[in-house]
């Protein structure tokens, strides 16, 4: 991330923020649950199943953010004539997201 990225801000509606934060809190709880499972020597497959669920949940959060970013930030940049830079940024995000 370069310095200009640190200054960028996205304004989300309160309800959208609330839903994202609640989802992340549930994921945080799942991670703590896995810590407990490891501490209590739970069966490996049970732990791996929970890790898979966490990965799916975090990917869903990422996809929601990516969708909103595309619909609003990228779309607005294209309308304002700054589309090339935003499309390149979006493609870079896709590359990082798909690793």
């Amino acid at each position: 991330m370069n310095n200009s990225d640190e200054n960028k801000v996205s304004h989300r509606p309160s309800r959208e923020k609330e839903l994202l934060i609640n989802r992340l809190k549930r994921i945080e709880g799942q991670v703590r649950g896995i810590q407990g499972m490891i501490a209590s020597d739970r069966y490996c497959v049970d732990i791996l199943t929970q890790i898979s669920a966490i990965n799916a949940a975090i990917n869903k959060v990422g996809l929601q953010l990516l969708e909103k970013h595309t619909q609003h930030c990228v779309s607005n940049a294209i309308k304002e004539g700054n589309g090339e830079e935003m499309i390149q940024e979006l493609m870079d995000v896709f590359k990082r997201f798909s690793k």
Side-chain angles (χ1 to χ4, degrees):
M1 183 187 305
N2 63 40
N3 274 345
S4 64
D5 290 339
E6 292 175 15
N7 297 324
K8 291 181 181 178
V9 179
S10 289
H11 297 285
R12 292 176 185 82
S14 295
R15 181 70 180 143
E16 182 182 331
K17 277 194 255 190
E18 181 183 341
L19 291 172
L20 287 169
I21 289 169
N22 286 341
R23 182 176 294 270
L24 290 168
K25 286 179 181 180
R26 283 193 304 274
I27 293 167
E28 181 181 22
Q30 288 176 290
V31 171
R32 280 194 304 273
I34 289 174
Q35 291 170 346
M37 292 173 78
I38 291 171
S40 63
D41 295 322
R42 290 284 300 271
Y43 185 55
C44 295
V45 173
D46 294 340
I47 296 169
L48 291 168
T49 299
Q50 290 304 309
I51 289 171
S52 177
I54 290 169
N55 283 332
I58 200 75
N59 282 336
K60 189 168 183 177
V61 169
L63 286 171
Q64 285 178 318
L65 288 168
L66 190 56
E67 181 179 7
K68 291 293 184 184
H69 177 67
T70 304
Q71 291 173 340
H72 297 284
C73 300
V74 176
S75 177
N76 288 341
I78 291 169
K79 290 173 188 171
E80 294 169 2
N82 301 319
E84 291 299 319
E85 180 182 338
M86 287 300 283
I87 290 170
Q88 184 58 53
E89 180 185 65
L90 181 63
M91 294 310 299
D92 291 343
V93 169
F94 273 121
K95 289 173 191 171
R96 285 193 305 264
F97 197 77
S98 64
K99 285 185 180 181

XYZ file of all heavy atoms in Angstrom:
786
model
N 0.848 -1.177 0.000
C 0.000 0.000 0.000
C 0.887 1.232 0.000
O 1.801 1.359 0.789
C -0.882 -0.014 1.256
C -1.837 1.127 1.286
S -2.807 1.344 2.798
C -3.593 -0.194 3.015
N 0.603 2.164 -0.896
C 1.402 3.385 -0.907
C 0.702 4.478 -0.108
O -0.410 4.309 0.358
C 1.699 3.818 -2.352
C 0.449 4.160 -3.137
O -0.470 4.778 -2.610
N 0.411 3.749 -4.395
N 1.372 5.618 0.033
C 0.837 6.689 0.869
C -0.517 7.197 0.402
O -1.366 7.534 1.213
C 1.827 7.862 0.923
C 2.862 7.652 2.001
O 2.697 6.806 2.859
N 3.945 8.423 1.939
N -0.739 7.273 -0.923
C -2.021 7.798 -1.389
C -3.158 6.864 -1.009
O -4.281 7.302 -0.814
C -1.990 8.021 -2.903
O -1.825 6.787 -3.571
N -2.890 5.551 -0.899
C -3.922 4.602 -0.485
C -4.338 4.824 0.960
O -5.483 4.577 1.316
C -3.430 3.157 -0.645
C -3.301 2.747 -2.105
O -3.941 3.388 -2.959
O -2.559 1.792 -2.379
N -3.435 5.280 1.797
C -3.733 5.490 3.214
C -4.730 6.629 3.405
O -5.436 6.673 4.404
C -2.446 5.776 3.991
C -1.535 4.559 4.068
C -0.203 4.864 4.722
O -0.080 5.919 5.375
O 0.711 4.054 4.573
N -4.812 7.545 2.459
C -5.696 8.696 2.576
C -7.072 8.453 1.976
O -7.960 9.280 2.127
C -5.046 9.919 1.917
C -3.767 10.320 2.624
O -3.667 10.218 3.839
N -2.787 10.754 1.872
N -7.250 7.354 1.276
C -8.537 7.060 0.664
C -9.520 6.608 1.730
O -9.171 5.894 2.658
C -8.403 5.978 -0.405
C -7.631 6.433 -1.629
C -7.552 5.346 -2.658
C -6.763 5.800 -3.849
N -6.640 4.731 -4.852
N -10.765 7.017 1.574
C -11.810 6.682 2.538
C -13.040 6.241 1.775
O -13.342 6.768 0.713
C -12.155 7.913 3.420
C -13.257 7.592 4.400
C -10.927 8.427 4.145
N -13.750 5.263 2.328
C -15.045 4.865 1.776
C -16.091 5.120 2.837
O -15.958 4.675 3.972
C -15.056 3.374 1.428
O -14.248 3.123 0.319
N -17.111 5.853 2.464
C -18.203 6.121 3.390
C -19.285 5.079 3.151
O -19.844 4.991 2.074
C -18.737 7.538 3.204
C -17.704 8.578 3.514
N -17.333 8.887 4.800
C -16.935 9.335 2.713
C -16.394 9.808 4.775
N -16.129 10.093 3.514
N -19.544 4.288 4.185
C -20.555 3.249 4.094
C -21.758 3.649 4.933
O -21.600 4.239 5.991
C -19.997 1.934 4.628
C -18.913 1.364 3.755
C -18.303 0.102 4.369
N -17.193 -0.324 3.542
C -15.981 0.190 3.615
N -15.703 1.121 4.486
N -15.034 -0.227 2.812
N -22.937 3.271 4.477
C -24.115 3.504 5.312
C -23.968 2.792 6.656
O -23.341 1.726 6.741
C -25.262 2.899 4.498
C -24.752 2.799 3.096
C -23.267 2.641 3.203
N -24.536 3.354 7.692
C -24.414 2.791 9.038
C -24.840 1.334 9.092
O -24.192 0.515 9.735
C -25.237 3.596 10.033
O -24.723 4.894 10.146
N -25.930 0.993 8.423
C -26.434 -0.379 8.443
C -25.433 -1.337 7.806
O -25.214 -2.434 8.304
C -27.799 -0.460 7.729
C -28.395 -1.835 7.726
C -28.851 -2.244 9.124
N -29.428 -3.575 9.062
C -29.290 -4.482 9.998
N -28.634 -4.196 11.109
N -29.821 -5.661 9.877
N -24.829 -0.922 6.707
C -23.821 -1.755 6.031
C -22.624 -1.988 6.950
O -22.130 -3.110 7.074
C -23.379 -1.084 4.731
C -22.384 -1.896 3.930
C -21.952 -1.168 2.674
O -22.729 -0.366 2.119
O -20.810 -1.404 2.252
N -22.162 -0.924 7.605
C -21.042 -1.050 8.545
C -21.399 -2.006 9.669
O -20.605 -2.867 10.044
C -20.678 0.310 9.150
C -19.797 1.142 8.304
C -19.225 2.286 9.114
C -19.895 3.568 8.761
N -19.233 4.737 9.337
N -22.587 -1.845 10.206
C -23.041 -2.685 11.314
C -23.050 -4.158 10.908
O -22.579 -5.021 11.664
C -24.439 -2.244 11.741
C -25.016 -3.019 12.898
C -26.439 -2.573 13.234
O -26.844 -1.467 12.847
O -27.132 -3.364 13.882
N -23.554 -4.457 9.720
C -23.609 -5.843 9.256
C -22.209 -6.428 9.063
O -21.950 -7.570 9.454
C -24.412 -5.939 7.952
C -25.906 -5.675 8.073
C -26.548 -5.595 6.695
C -26.577 -6.736 8.926
N -21.303 -5.637 8.479
C -19.936 -6.111 8.275
C -19.228 -6.338 9.611
O -18.559 -7.356 9.809
C -19.143 -5.116 7.421
C -19.492 -5.076 5.938
C -18.841 -3.869 5.274
C -19.088 -6.363 5.247
N -19.382 -5.400 10.525
C -18.731 -5.533 11.834
C -19.290 -6.733 12.587
O -18.526 -7.508 13.190
C -18.871 -4.230 12.648
C -17.984 -3.141 12.008
C -18.513 -4.441 14.114
C -18.221 -1.741 12.537
N -20.601 -6.932 12.546
C -21.188 -8.102 13.222
C -20.675 -9.408 12.627
O -20.379 -10.359 13.352
C -22.713 -8.054 13.159
C -23.282 -7.012 14.095
O -22.619 -6.564 15.029
N -24.504 -6.598 13.839
N -20.550 -9.458 11.302
C -20.032 -10.656 10.655
C -18.582 -10.908 11.088
O -18.199 -12.042 11.392
C -20.121 -10.533 9.138
C -19.644 -11.769 8.397
C -19.854 -11.624 6.911
N -21.265 -11.576 6.578
C -22.002 -12.642 6.298
N -21.458 -13.833 6.315
N -23.262 -12.511 5.978
N -17.792 -9.848 11.148
C -16.390 -9.996 11.569
C -16.279 -10.410 13.037
O -15.396 -11.187 13.406
C -15.620 -8.701 11.309
C -15.378 -8.406 9.829
C -14.877 -6.978 9.646
C -14.410 -9.411 9.220
N -17.187 -9.939 13.856
C -17.193 -10.363 15.264
C -17.520 -11.851 15.385
O -16.947 -12.547 16.229
C -18.184 -9.529 16.079
C -17.685 -8.123 16.357
C -18.708 -7.331 17.146
C -18.196 -5.922 17.403
N -19.171 -5.116 18.169
N -18.445 -12.335 14.538
C -18.752 -13.773 14.550
C -17.531 -14.582 14.117
O -17.228 -15.627 14.698
C -19.946 -14.074 13.639
C -21.284 -13.705 14.264
C -22.470 -14.279 13.505
N -22.520 -13.912 12.111
C -23.070 -12.799 11.626
N -23.622 -11.926 12.451
N -23.074 -12.558 10.337
N -16.825 -14.083 13.113
C -15.610 -14.759 12.658
C -14.570 -14.765 13.777
O -13.911 -15.781 14.023
C -15.060 -14.089 11.380
C -16.027 -14.316 10.209
C -13.667 -14.611 11.042
C -15.743 -13.453 8.992
N -14.440 -13.645 14.456
C -13.511 -13.547 15.586
C -13.874 -14.595 16.648
O -12.994 -15.275 17.201
C -13.580 -12.143 16.177
C -12.646 -11.901 17.338
C -12.788 -10.496 17.886
O -13.829 -9.845 17.689
O -11.825 -10.051 18.542
N -15.154 -14.757 16.926
C -15.598 -15.768 17.880
C -15.269 -17.175 17.412
O -14.886 -18.038 18.211
N -15.402 -17.416 16.107
C -15.053 -18.726 15.563
C -13.563 -19.006 15.745
O -13.177 -20.127 16.077
C -15.402 -18.816 14.075
C -16.878 -18.909 13.787
C -17.137 -18.898 12.292
O -16.951 -17.874 11.625
N -17.560 -20.035 11.769
N -12.736 -17.985 15.541
C -11.285 -18.152 15.717
C -10.976 -18.482 17.177
O -10.188 -19.382 17.467
C -10.515 -16.897 15.242
C -9.032 -16.984 15.626
C -10.672 -16.721 13.733
N -11.616 -17.779 18.104
C -11.415 -18.089 19.523
C -11.884 -19.518 19.830
O -11.272 -20.228 20.621
C -12.145 -17.076 20.404
C -11.383 -15.766 20.558
C -11.933 -14.913 21.696
N -13.355 -14.633 21.555
C -13.866 -13.627 20.875
N -13.058 -12.787 20.241
N -15.166 -13.442 20.801
N -12.964 -19.939 19.164
C -13.448 -21.299 19.335
C -12.412 -22.319 18.893
O -12.217 -23.352 19.554
N -11.732 -22.042 17.815
C -10.677 -22.950 17.346
C -9.531 -22.996 18.342
O -8.971 -24.062 18.608
C -10.176 -22.543 15.941
C -11.253 -22.854 14.910
C -8.884 -23.267 15.583
C -10.920 -22.369 13.513
N -9.200 -21.862 18.920
C -8.149 -21.858 19.947
C -8.538 -22.798 21.079
O -7.716 -23.580 21.565
C -7.929 -20.443 20.486
C -7.305 -19.502 19.488
C -7.306 -18.050 19.960
O -7.990 -17.679 20.909
N -6.532 -17.231 19.270
N -9.784 -22.728 21.498
C -10.268 -23.609 22.556
C -10.255 -25.063 22.130
O -9.946 -25.954 22.931
N -10.603 -25.318 20.890
C -10.594 -26.684 20.383
C -9.185 -27.261 20.417
O -8.991 -28.425 20.797
C -11.139 -26.734 18.941
C -12.620 -26.425 18.829
S -13.178 -26.287 17.109
C -13.294 -28.037 16.682
N -8.214 -26.464 20.040
C -6.827 -26.916 20.062
C -6.377 -27.140 21.499
O -5.746 -28.156 21.814
C -5.907 -25.928 19.316
C -6.222 -25.990 17.807
C -4.427 -26.234 19.582
C -5.548 -24.923 16.973
N -6.717 -26.211 22.377
C -6.337 -26.342 23.787
C -6.935 -27.594 24.417
O -6.313 -28.207 25.295
C -6.772 -25.094 24.567
N -8.123 -27.995 23.965
C -8.754 -29.171 24.561
C -8.553 -30.437 23.724
O -9.268 -31.422 23.891
C -10.248 -28.909 24.784
O -10.887 -28.686 23.544
N -7.560 -30.372 22.826
C -7.167 -31.552 22.030
C -8.306 -32.135 21.213
O -8.456 -33.359 21.113
C -6.544 -32.634 22.928
C -5.239 -32.193 23.542
O -4.463 -31.506 22.855
O -4.994 -32.525 24.724
N -9.105 -31.281 20.596
C -10.199 -31.769 19.747
C -9.640 -32.457 18.507
O -8.512 -32.200 18.073
C -11.106 -30.607 19.323
C -11.938 -30.016 20.433
C -13.132 -30.880 20.814
N -14.058 -31.092 19.727
C -15.083 -30.297 19.443
N -15.330 -29.233 20.191
N -15.872 -30.562 18.421
N -10.453 -33.269 17.912
C -10.099 -34.042 16.733
C -9.730 -33.094 15.583
O -10.420 -32.101 15.324
C -11.294 -34.926 16.350
C -11.064 -35.885 15.222
C -10.007 -36.794 15.257
C -11.916 -35.902 14.126
C -9.807 -37.695 14.223
C -11.733 -36.803 13.086
C -10.671 -37.689 13.139
O -10.483 -38.580 12.113
N -8.649 -33.417 14.893
C -8.115 -32.550 13.834
C -9.157 -32.208 12.769
O -9.244 -31.060 12.321
C -6.918 -33.218 13.155
S -5.505 -33.443 14.230
N -9.942 -33.180 12.349
C -10.931 -32.938 11.298
C -11.975 -31.922 11.755
O -12.419 -31.083 10.968
C -11.578 -34.263 10.838
C -12.723 -34.004 9.874
C -10.534 -35.165 10.196
N -12.353 -31.965 13.027
C -13.295 -30.981 13.553
C -12.709 -29.570 13.474
O -13.404 -28.613 13.107
C -13.677 -31.304 14.998
C -14.463 -32.594 15.129
O -15.040 -33.044 14.110
O -14.501 -33.144 16.242
N -11.448 -29.447 13.817
C -10.769 -28.146 13.762
C -10.662 -27.673 12.317
O -10.947 -26.519 12.006
C -9.377 -28.225 14.426
C -9.530 -28.536 15.921
C -8.595 -26.929 14.212
C -8.229 -28.902 16.609
N -10.273 -28.574 11.425
C -10.149 -28.217 10.014
C -11.494 -27.801 9.426
O -11.558 -26.881 8.593
C -9.550 -29.378 9.223
C -8.078 -29.664 9.555
C -7.647 -30.995 8.959
C -7.186 -28.529 9.067
N -12.551 -28.428 9.853
C -13.897 -28.051 9.397
C -14.209 -26.623 9.821
O -14.757 -25.829 9.036
C -14.952 -29.032 9.953
O -14.651 -30.344 9.464
C -16.350 -28.638 9.556
N -13.859 -26.274 11.047
C -14.091 -24.908 11.527
C -13.222 -23.895 10.778
O -13.673 -22.786 10.477
C -13.844 -24.819 13.038
C -14.891 -25.540 13.847
C -16.284 -25.038 13.535
O -16.550 -23.838 13.553
N -17.179 -25.960 13.223
N -11.987 -24.271 10.483
C -11.107 -23.384 9.712
C -11.696 -23.142 8.327
O -11.693 -22.019 7.821
C -9.680 -23.967 9.627
C -9.009 -23.871 11.005
C -8.846 -23.239 8.562
C -7.689 -24.589 11.105
N -12.234 -24.178 7.722
C -12.874 -24.037 6.415
C -14.058 -23.071 6.489
O -14.250 -22.236 5.604
C -13.332 -25.404 5.920
O -14.008 -25.294 4.701
N -14.838 -23.171 7.558
C -15.982 -22.270 7.735
C -15.515 -20.825 7.891
O -16.136 -19.897 7.347
C -16.807 -22.703 8.945
N -14.436 -20.620 8.609
C -13.889 -19.271 8.783
C -13.399 -18.718 7.454
O -13.656 -17.558 7.118
C -12.757 -19.265 9.834
C -13.339 -19.511 11.221
C -11.971 -17.955 9.788
C -12.289 -19.794 12.283
N -12.701 -19.539 6.696
C -12.224 -19.096 5.377
C -13.394 -18.681 4.489
O -13.341 -17.643 3.822
C -11.409 -20.191 4.690
C -10.019 -20.316 5.257
O -9.451 -19.363 5.765
N -9.458 -21.503 5.167
N -14.455 -19.465 4.483
C -15.625 -19.132 3.674
C -16.255 -17.825 4.148
O -16.643 -16.980 3.333
C -16.644 -20.267 3.735
N -16.340 -17.648 5.449
C -16.954 -16.435 6.003
C -16.123 -15.201 5.679
O -16.680 -14.156 5.300
C -17.135 -16.585 7.511
N -14.823 -15.278 5.812
C -13.976 -14.113 5.544
C -13.971 -13.801 4.051
O -13.964 -12.636 3.648
C -12.553 -14.276 6.129
C -11.863 -12.917 6.287
C -11.686 -15.200 5.307
C -12.335 -12.106 7.426
N -14.028 -14.838 3.213
C -14.114 -14.612 1.771
C -15.420 -13.920 1.409
O -15.451 -13.059 0.526
C -13.974 -15.921 0.998
C -12.536 -16.375 0.912
O -11.611 -15.580 1.015
N -12.345 -17.666 0.737
N -16.490 -14.268 2.103
C -17.778 -13.625 1.834
C -17.715 -12.136 2.192
O -18.239 -11.295 1.450
C -18.887 -14.321 2.608
C -20.260 -13.854 2.217
C -21.349 -14.733 2.770
C -22.699 -14.245 2.285
N -23.794 -15.082 2.732
N -17.079 -11.807 3.291
C -16.906 -10.394 3.664
C -16.105 -9.687 2.572
O -16.465 -8.594 2.122
C -16.200 -10.256 5.036
C -15.791 -8.808 5.295
C -17.090 -10.759 6.149
N -15.025 -10.320 2.136
C -14.203 -9.723 1.086
C -14.972 -9.505 -0.199
O -14.861 -8.448 -0.838
N -15.779 -10.480 -0.585
C -16.571 -10.340 -1.805
C -17.616 -9.236 -1.682
O -17.872 -8.505 -2.645
C -17.233 -11.667 -2.166
C -16.287 -12.726 -2.733
C -17.006 -14.073 -2.857
C -15.716 -12.292 -4.077
N -18.210 -9.106 -0.495
C -19.173 -8.015 -0.292
C -18.493 -6.660 -0.452
O -19.030 -5.756 -1.096
C -19.802 -8.110 1.096
C -20.823 -9.202 1.220
C -21.385 -9.283 2.632
O -20.664 -9.179 3.618
N -22.695 -9.479 2.725
N -17.314 -6.523 0.140
C -16.579 -5.260 0.027
C -16.151 -5.009 -1.417
O -16.234 -3.882 -1.913
C -15.361 -5.277 0.949
C -15.673 -5.167 2.432
C -14.443 -5.487 3.259
C -16.213 -3.791 2.769
N -15.718 -6.057 -2.085
C -15.300 -5.938 -3.477
C -16.469 -5.524 -4.368
O -16.326 -4.663 -5.248
C -14.720 -7.279 -3.937
C -14.012 -7.327 -5.271
C -12.877 -6.318 -5.335
C -13.468 -8.732 -5.497
N -17.634 -6.086 -4.112
C -18.821 -5.729 -4.884
C -19.180 -4.257 -4.683
O -19.435 -3.522 -5.649
C -20.003 -6.610 -4.480
C -21.268 -6.318 -5.244
C -22.424 -7.225 -4.850
O -22.299 -8.003 -3.889
O -23.471 -7.132 -5.515
N -19.211 -3.815 -3.438
C -19.542 -2.410 -3.151
C -18.508 -1.471 -3.761
O -18.845 -0.421 -4.313
C -19.646 -2.167 -1.646
C -20.835 -2.844 -1.022
C -22.129 -2.235 -1.501
C -23.298 -2.866 -0.791
N -24.577 -2.389 -1.268
N -17.240 -1.863 -3.662
C -16.163 -1.045 -4.222
C -16.352 -0.883 -5.735
O -16.238 0.215 -6.274
C -14.805 -1.674 -3.910
C -13.651 -0.940 -4.509
N -13.279 0.321 -4.104
C -12.790 -1.291 -5.492
C -12.229 0.716 -4.811
N -11.929 -0.239 -5.662
N -16.678 -1.981 -6.391
C -16.865 -1.944 -7.838
C -18.086 -1.104 -8.210
O -18.020 -0.267 -9.114
C -17.019 -3.373 -8.397
O -15.870 -4.142 -8.016
C -17.128 -3.366 -9.908
N -19.180 -1.319 -7.493
C -20.421 -0.598 -7.800
C -20.320 0.898 -7.550
O -20.982 1.679 -8.235
C -21.582 -1.168 -6.978
C -21.991 -2.551 -7.389
C -23.028 -3.143 -6.445
O -23.195 -2.704 -5.307
N -23.713 -4.165 -6.908
N -19.542 1.280 -6.570
C -19.505 2.693 -6.203
C -18.192 3.361 -6.603
O -18.182 4.226 -7.479
C -19.774 2.864 -4.700
C -21.140 2.383 -4.317
N -22.275 3.102 -4.580
C -21.545 1.235 -3.732
C -23.330 2.424 -4.172
N -22.922 1.281 -3.648
N -17.101 2.966 -5.995
C -15.822 3.656 -6.216
C -15.349 3.547 -7.662
O -15.005 4.549 -8.291
C -14.755 3.104 -5.275
S -15.160 3.283 -3.526
N -15.335 2.322 -8.187
C -14.848 2.128 -9.552
C -15.810 2.769 -10.548
O -15.387 3.475 -11.470
C -14.636 0.629 -9.854
C -14.229 0.413 -11.305
C -13.575 0.040 -8.922
N -17.088 2.550 -10.353
C -18.094 3.130 -11.249
C -17.994 4.656 -11.274
O -18.009 5.277 -12.345
C -19.489 2.698 -10.797
O -20.472 3.296 -11.593
N -17.874 5.268 -10.105
C -17.757 6.738 -10.034
C -16.482 7.228 -10.707
O -16.491 8.254 -11.393
C -17.807 7.215 -8.583
C -19.194 7.086 -7.980
O -20.188 6.982 -8.696
N -19.257 7.077 -6.661
N -15.388 6.502 -10.511
C -14.121 6.902 -11.132
C -14.233 6.855 -12.656
O -13.738 7.747 -13.347
C -12.988 6.006 -10.652
N -14.901 5.838 -13.177
C -15.087 5.731 -14.629
C -15.921 6.916 -15.129
O -15.568 7.555 -16.123
C -15.739 4.382 -14.996
C -14.742 3.245 -14.743
C -16.215 4.380 -16.449
C -15.326 1.853 -14.821
N -16.998 7.228 -14.417
C -17.861 8.349 -14.814
C -17.112 9.674 -14.793
O -17.385 10.577 -15.582
C -19.073 8.440 -13.886
C -20.060 7.306 -14.077
C -21.159 7.358 -13.022
C -22.022 6.112 -13.088
N -22.954 6.016 -11.955
N -16.131 9.788 -13.860
C -15.371 11.031 -13.720
C -14.133 11.069 -14.612
O -13.357 12.013 -14.556
C -14.966 11.224 -12.262
C -16.163 11.446 -11.344
C -15.798 11.376 -9.862
O -14.602 11.183 -9.532
O -16.721 11.490 -9.037
N -13.922 10.010 -15.399
C -12.776 9.984 -16.303
C -11.503 9.434 -15.703
O -10.433 9.551 -16.301
N -11.572 8.859 -14.522
C -10.390 8.280 -13.868
C -10.458 6.755 -13.843
O -9.911 6.117 -12.962
C -10.286 8.784 -12.419
C -10.182 10.287 -12.349
O -9.490 10.902 -13.147
N -10.887 10.885 -11.417
N -11.105 6.193 -14.825
C -11.366 4.760 -14.821
C -10.147 3.877 -14.941
O -10.076 2.833 -14.300
N -9.182 4.272 -15.749
C -8.013 3.410 -15.980
C -7.283 3.070 -14.683
O -6.966 1.917 -14.425
C -7.047 4.053 -16.984
C -7.596 4.126 -18.394
C -7.892 2.750 -18.976
O -7.092 1.818 -18.771
O -8.953 2.611 -19.628
N -7.047 4.091 -13.880
C -6.340 3.884 -12.604
C -7.161 2.987 -11.663
O -6.631 2.074 -11.043
C -6.058 5.226 -11.935
C -5.329 5.099 -10.608
C -5.116 6.446 -9.940
O -5.144 7.489 -10.614
O -4.911 6.439 -8.706
N -8.450 3.239 -11.589
C -9.298 2.454 -10.692
C -9.456 1.019 -11.181
O -9.514 0.091 -10.372
C -10.669 3.111 -10.544
C -10.647 4.363 -9.702
S -10.079 4.075 -8.008
C -11.534 3.334 -7.306
N -9.534 0.831 -12.486
C -9.624 -0.528 -13.020
C -8.340 -1.284 -12.713
O -8.377 -2.457 -12.324
C -9.951 -0.509 -14.521
C -11.393 -0.032 -14.723
C -9.734 -1.888 -15.153
C -11.770 0.266 -16.153
N -7.197 -0.626 -12.850
C -5.923 -1.279 -12.520
C -5.868 -1.633 -11.036
O -5.455 -2.728 -10.660
C -4.732 -0.388 -12.898
C -3.391 -1.055 -12.664
C -3.253 -2.362 -13.427
O -3.450 -2.416 -14.639
N -2.924 -3.440 -12.723
N -6.324 -0.717 -10.199
C -6.374 -0.984 -8.762
C -7.284 -2.186 -8.484
O -6.940 -3.070 -7.689
C -6.872 0.246 -8.010
C -6.960 0.039 -6.508
C -7.577 1.231 -5.806
O -8.772 1.523 -6.045
O -6.849 1.869 -5.016
N -8.434 -2.220 -9.145
C -9.377 -3.327 -8.975
C -8.746 -4.645 -9.408
O -8.885 -5.667 -8.718
C -10.657 -3.052 -9.773
C -11.749 -4.105 -9.686
C -12.258 -4.242 -8.244
C -12.900 -3.745 -10.621
N -8.036 -4.639 -10.504
C -7.384 -5.864 -10.969
C -6.310 -6.316 -9.975
O -6.159 -7.509 -9.719
C -6.782 -5.661 -12.367
C -7.828 -5.430 -13.450
S -9.180 -6.643 -13.459
C -8.307 -8.155 -13.751
N -5.594 -5.368 -9.394
C -4.599 -5.708 -8.369
C -5.264 -6.344 -7.152
O -4.742 -7.290 -6.575
C -3.803 -4.457 -7.948
C -2.891 -3.939 -9.045
O -2.609 -4.684 -10.006
O -2.482 -2.759 -8.954
N -6.430 -5.827 -6.784
C -7.183 -6.396 -5.663
C -7.611 -7.820 -6.000
O -7.480 -8.725 -5.173
C -8.404 -5.518 -5.301
C -9.329 -6.235 -4.331
C -7.952 -4.195 -4.722
N -8.109 -8.030 -7.210
C -8.502 -9.379 -7.632
C -7.327 -10.348 -7.529
O -7.474 -11.481 -7.059
C -9.026 -9.393 -9.074
C -10.484 -9.098 -9.196
C -10.912 -8.024 -9.961
C -11.428 -9.899 -8.582
C -12.268 -7.747 -10.097
C -12.784 -9.632 -8.718
C -13.206 -8.545 -9.471
N -6.145 -9.896 -7.951
C -4.957 -10.747 -7.894
C -4.633 -11.120 -6.450
O -4.330 -12.271 -6.134
C -3.768 -10.048 -8.552
C -3.890 -9.954 -10.050
C -2.762 -9.106 -10.625
C -3.035 -8.801 -12.087
N -2.083 -7.813 -12.620
N -4.683 -10.141 -5.540
C -4.391 -10.412 -4.131
C -5.466 -11.295 -3.521
O -5.191 -12.181 -2.737
C -4.285 -9.108 -3.338
C -3.012 -8.349 -3.582
C -2.812 -7.243 -2.549
N -3.921 -6.315 -2.464
C -3.992 -5.146 -3.095
N -3.025 -4.762 -3.884
N -5.025 -4.365 -2.921
N -6.713 -11.041 -3.884
C -7.843 -11.764 -3.314
C -7.871 -13.223 -3.741
O -8.318 -14.090 -3.013
C -9.145 -11.056 -3.714
C -10.326 -11.441 -2.874
C -10.487 -10.917 -1.598
C -11.267 -12.330 -3.343
C -11.572 -11.252 -0.824
C -12.358 -12.684 -2.571
C -12.513 -12.146 -1.306
N -7.352 -13.487 -4.929
C -7.428 -14.854 -5.452
C -6.218 -15.703 -5.097
O -6.137 -16.856 -5.506
C -7.608 -14.810 -6.968
O -6.477 -14.236 -7.594
N -5.298 -15.183 -4.321
C -4.121 -15.971 -3.911
C -4.505 -17.037 -2.934
O -5.370 -16.939 -2.144
C -3.061 -15.073 -3.300
C -2.329 -14.263 -4.337
C -1.218 -13.486 -3.670
C -0.470 -12.660 -4.693
N 0.607 -11.931 -4.121
